[in-house]
Amino acid sequence: MLDSLLVPTAIVALAEIGDKTQLLALILAARFRKPWPIIAGIVAATLANHAAAGAVGAWFGSFFSDAVLHWILAASFCATALWTLVPDKLDDDEASTSRKFGPFVTTLIAFFLAEIGDKTQIATVMLAAQYPELWLVIIGTTLGMLIANVPVVLAGNFAAEKLPLTLIRRLAASAFFILAIVAVYKAMQSSGWI
């Protein structure tokens, strides 16, 4: 049961470093210089986005046998591992949310939109399909987002410039590959091959 919380937390925290939403957090922190409304916006947007992604993952997982689901998860984790190795860039549209809404609403909208189709959202779908405790997965992925983004909001450019992003992307990709290997093992077990 604890795996449903800890694995998603670690995976998303690693995957989020150097991600476009982390760059967005940096831009919002520099623009508004009010960290707490930005952090609150990140929490609200991530909970909403990852709850929807988790629901999709749990629903998706209910259609397949354990063996088929684990083969799908193995392929998905491999694809996400490769995707994690590619550095993200922030789109100008995502950074240009109007200032008239203030830091909380701007962060809420920008983060929610930036997470749609992002690798951490896809990871949430896959993790929710793999682990039976949906709310622990959602809490874990949200904690992972906060672990990666709160220091950026609080420390500004300093934190982002000092991190070895290539190494962190490789570690995140390795974590996704390990999840793929575990999924292959579980698929082979469910299929009766081992």
Side-chain angles (χ1 to χ4, degrees):
M1 186 164 141
L2 202 53
D3 286 353
S4 297
L5 176 68
L6 298 179
V7 171
T9 300
I11 293 294
V12 170
L14 281 172
E16 183 63 16
I17 295 175
D19 191 73
K20 68 182 173 184
T21 47
Q22 192 177 50
L23 298 173
L24 179 59
L26 197 63
I27 290 168
L28 292 168
R31 179 185 295 168
F32 289 108
R33 301 193 189 283
K34 294 182 180 178
W36 299 114
I38 294 169
I39 292 167
I42 291 170
V43 170
T46 302
L47 280 172
N49 191 294
H50 288 196
V56 168
W59 175 74
F60 182 78
S62 69
F63 286 107
F64 299 100
S65 68
D66 280 349
V68 172
L69 179 62
H70 284 103
W71 284 116
I72 292 169
L73 288 171
S76 299
F77 282 133
C78 281
T80 304
L82 295 172
W83 185 10
T84 301
L85 292 171
V86 179
D88 268 337
K89 291 181 176 65
L90 184 63
D91 297 332
D92 290 336
D93 294 342
E94 291 167 353
S96 66
T97 305
S98 175
R99 194 171 214 182
K100 69 181 177 178
F101 294 119
F104 174 76
V105 174
T106 299
T107 302
L108 177 71
I109 293 168
F111 257 78
F112 186 84
L113 293 176
E115 271 297 291
I116 294 174
D118 195 54
K119 65 182 157 261
T120 50
Q121 185 189 43
I122 304 300
T124 301
V125 171
M126 293 183 299
L127 291 163
Q130 182 173 1
Y131 292 102
E133 293 84 13
L134 175 61
W135 286 106
L136 287 177
V137 170
I138 294 165
I139 290 168
T141 59
T142 301
L143 286 173
M145 288 285 286
L146 293 174
I147 289 168
N149 288 307
V150 168
V152 170
V153 171
L154 295 176
N157 283 334
F158 176 77
E161 291 172 0
K162 301 298 179 191
L163 293 173
L165 296 180
T166 301
L167 173 63
I168 292 167
R169 276 193 296 277
R170 289 178 183 162
L171 288 173
S174 297
F176 280 116
F177 276 125
I178 289 168
L179 286 173
I181 291 167
V182 169
V184 166
Y185 177 77
K186 287 181 179 180
M188 292 173 73
Q189 256 185 338
S190 297
S191 300
W193 297 353
I194 54 172

